[in-house]
Amino acid sequence: MSMDILRLATAGSVDDGKSTLIGRLLFDSKSIFEDQLEAVERTSRDRGEDYTNLALLTDGLRAEREQGITIDVAYRYFATPRRKFIIADTPGHIQYTRNMVTGASTADLAIVLIDARKGILEQSRRHAFLTTLLRVPHLVLAVNKMDLVDYDQATFERIKDEFTSFAAKLSVSDLTFIPISALHGDNVVERSANMQWYDGPSLLHHLENVHIASDRNLIDVRFPVQYVIRPHKSTDPELHDYRGYAGQVSGGVLKPGDEVMHLPSGLTTRIKRIDTADGPVDEAFPPMSVTLLLEDDIDISRGDMICRPHNRPQVTQDVDAMVCWMSDERPLVPRGKLIIKHTTRTAKVMVKDLHYRLDVNTLHRHEDAERLVLNEIGRISLRVTQPLFADDYARNRATGGFILIDEATNATVAAGMIMENR
């Protein structure tokens, strides 16, 4: 239970082998059941393939299997003795950019696959840019299908050099290159005997050992209140007066006795106790879900924020943000009215201005853009009916991210990242 969880997303161009790689990870780490393997072997035979197609472990939709592509975000779970993993297998096609953004938005690490024969394609650059836009802390460039280039070191080094120069334009904090063959398992779980020139770790070894604890913001205390717990149990005196504030710690470290401030009131108090499902704890930190008991009675409700008195988020009704538009029903246009969900707070919002549409292939800003349509990314200004307690997305992904919702259909139409608060 004490093992940490690594959330990782795969990205890359179509047919670069993302689903096969995940299937190989699951297969070689013995994380699939016998009946699953038998079903995949049977489907592979029915399709006339002379090998077990491990990509079928993740391509669950019938349309995906028929086309041989990934459409939706497929989540898979597995564990090794060192760590638990949640994998988001995201689609490579340009028309599914929104799905890729969804899968990578919560990831600690992204694996961008490159076909060794094709090198770095436009889609590879697009997905590398999106992972950095979403502030995924760790990036692995896996050069796949090395078996089809005879495990040639020069091919790998050329792709590595080309991507390194491209990554210099992006804010990549941790970049690792690994040559693999997902089909044959080279450098996926075990080191490959076919690439003696490569002296780095296998992919799974890197995933097991990459340090993610320091990626979370442990400086700025942020506790969005999700629910107020009042049991009112008359037979138990302690529960009769129990007033707890439940939520997930979004930043910082909380301990009993700490002085905290409630927003929006600005009133201060101290933490009396921190409860969890397993009993009281001495400290709470991201991403723990806890219940805070405070020394003073303050009017606190869902959507409020608990922070430090001298380290507050920005309280603002004007938000500048980058958004990925996810709706094919309606475009984003200035003066459009939507609903924003930011941490646990929900409010009405109006699009004040569309500053530019970003071409994710060239990073060019189209400042004459009048709207954003499906899968497009742009910078906008919003006016919110209630104050938000927000940080820049680069500082805290939890308090810097939000979604926009269509009032009429209740559908999520955009994912946003707060870039600058006024």
Side-chain angles (χ1 to χ4, degrees):
M1 291 297 291
S2 61
M3 284 195 298
D4 62 350
I5 298 174
L6 178 75
R7 295 174 176 270
L8 62 114
T10 60
S13 189
V14 181
D15 290 336
D16 278 350
K18 295 183 294 298
S19 299
T20 303
L21 172 63
I22 295 173
R24 174 60 64 183
L25 275 172
L26 295 172
F27 179 74
D28 284 3
S29 61
K30 298 178 173 56
S31 300
I32 54 175
F33 296 111
E34 285 186 17
D35 59 335
Q36 286 179 298
L37 183 59
E38 288 171 3
V40 168
E41 289 173 341
R42 184 169 60 252
T43 305
S44 299
R45 285 196 304 271
D46 293 345
R47 291 171 48 159
E49 294 169 344
D50 57 357
Y51 63 95
T52 302
N53 188 347
L54 296 174
L56 299 178
L57 285 167
T58 54
D59 286 344
L61 300 177
R62 174 169 290 184
E64 292 176 343
R65 293 189 174 194
E66 289 173 352
Q67 297 181 54
I69 63 169
T70 301
I71 295 173
D72 204 354
V73 181
Y75 290 95
R76 290 295 178 270
Y77 310 88
F78 77 102
T80 67
R82 293 186 62 92
R83 183 172 266 172
K84 296 176 183 176
F85 300 92
I86 300 175
I87 308 175
D89 181 21
T90 63
H93 283 65
I94 184 170
Q95 64 263 42
Y96 304 118
T97 299
R98 60 178 175 179
N99 305 62
M100 189 268 165
V101 169
T102 302
S105 61
T106 56
D108 301 304
L109 179 146
I111 303 173
V112 177
L113 269 85
I114 304 283
D115 188 326
R117 300 168 302 167
K118 301 174 184 175
I120 298 171
L121 303 175
E122 182 181 285
Q123 191 76 331
S124 314
R125 299 176 195 272
R126 179 184 297 113
H127 283 181
F129 167 71
L130 288 172
T131 58
T132 57
L133 181 69
L134 292 161
R135 297 285 172 176
V136 180
H138 306 278
L139 184 60
V140 174
L141 194 83
V143 182
N144 192 24
K145 304 189 181 182
M146 290 297 293
D147 54 306
L148 299 181
V149 294
D150 297 325
Y151 303 103
D152 179 42
Q153 181 180 2
T155 302
F156 172 72
E157 295 293 343
R158 188 185 71 250
I159 293 172
K160 180 179 177 180
D161 292 343
E162 184 182 348
F163 191 85
T164 301
S165 62
F166 171 71
K169 305 174 189 174
L170 311 174
S171 54
V172 182
S173 54
D174 177 36
L175 180 58
T176 305
F177 296 89
I178 303 177
I180 64 169
S181 169
L183 187 64
H184 299 291
D186 293 284
N187 282 340
V188 177
V189 172
E190 302 291 340
R191 287 282 304 276
S192 171
N194 295 312
M195 289 178 274
Q196 301 285 355
W197 44 266
Y198 172 70
D199 57 3
S202 69
L203 179 61
L204 183 61
H205 184 272
H206 179 72
L207 297 179
E208 285 182 325
N209 291 280
V210 65
H211 185 66
I212 60 170
S214 59
D215 296 334
R216 298 187 174 95
N217 187 325
L218 299 177
I219 299 169
D220 308 317
V221 169
R222 303 289 185 262
F223 186 77
V225 177
Q226 185 171 352
Y227 189 71
V228 181
I229 298 177
R230 294 295 309 279
H232 290 302
K233 190 173 182 181
S234 58
T235 56
D236 188 331
E238 186 181 347
L239 288 184
H240 183 68
D241 296 322
Y242 190 100
R243 181 192 291 266
Y245 307 102
Q248 186 177 48
V249 183
S250 297
V253 179
L254 293 163
K255 297 179 181 179
D258 284 354
E259 186 181 17
V260 292
M261 173 180 278
H262 165 248
L263 294 176
S265 72
L267 298 173
T268 59
T269 183
R270 292 189 180 274
I271 298 173
K272 183 164 64 176
R273 199 169 84 215
I274 302 175
D275 285 352
T276 68
D278 301 315
V281 294
D282 294 330
E283 63 177 13
F285 47 84
M288 290 175 63
S289 295
V290 299
T291 301
L292 300 184
L293 282 80
L294 305 178
E295 290 185 354
D296 301 293
D297 285 337
I298 301 176
D299 182 14
I300 300 176
S301 57
R302 177 182 172 87
D304 293 354
M305 176 78 75
I306 292 173
C307 62
R308 287 262 191 270
H310 304 295
N311 182 349
R312 312 177 206 175
Q314 296 195 46
V315 182
T316 180
Q317 288 180 257
D318 292 296
V319 174
D320 279 1
M322 296 290 293
V323 294
C324 175
W325 193 251
M326 297 179 170
S327 173
D328 52 4
E329 300 290 326
R330 60 176 286 190
L332 179 145
V333 292
R335 313 296 296 175
K337 292 180 174 61
L338 299 158
I339 292 174
I340 187 170
K341 187 175 186 306
H342 172 263
T343 63
T344 56
R345 174 158 286 206
T346 304
K348 292 188 176 183
V349 68
M350 184 184 74
V351 180
K352 279 172 57 181
D353 197 10
L354 171 59
H355 299 292
Y356 58 80
R357 185 182 74 246
L358 186 70
D359 187 329
V360 296
N361 303 318
T362 63
L363 308 187
H364 177 69
R365 299 176 177 183
H366 297 277
E367 296 183 355
D368 58 344
E370 297 178 352
R371 59 179 54 202
L372 293 180
V373 297
L374 177 64
N375 293 322
E376 290 187 336
I377 293 173
R379 182 150 185 165
I380 64 171
S381 293
L382 299 172
R383 175 70 177 178
V384 193
T385 55
Q386 299 178 33
L388 300 183
F389 314 118
D391 296 288
D392 288 352
Y393 187 80
R395 188 169 182 88
N396 190 317
R397 292 168 81 188
T399 56
F402 62 86
I403 60 171
L404 296 176
I405 300 167
D406 188 318
E407 287 184 279
T409 64
N410 209 33
T412 300
V413 293
M417 294 142 279
I418 296 172
M419 306 299 285
E420 178 185 334
N421 278 318
R422 289 197 296 266

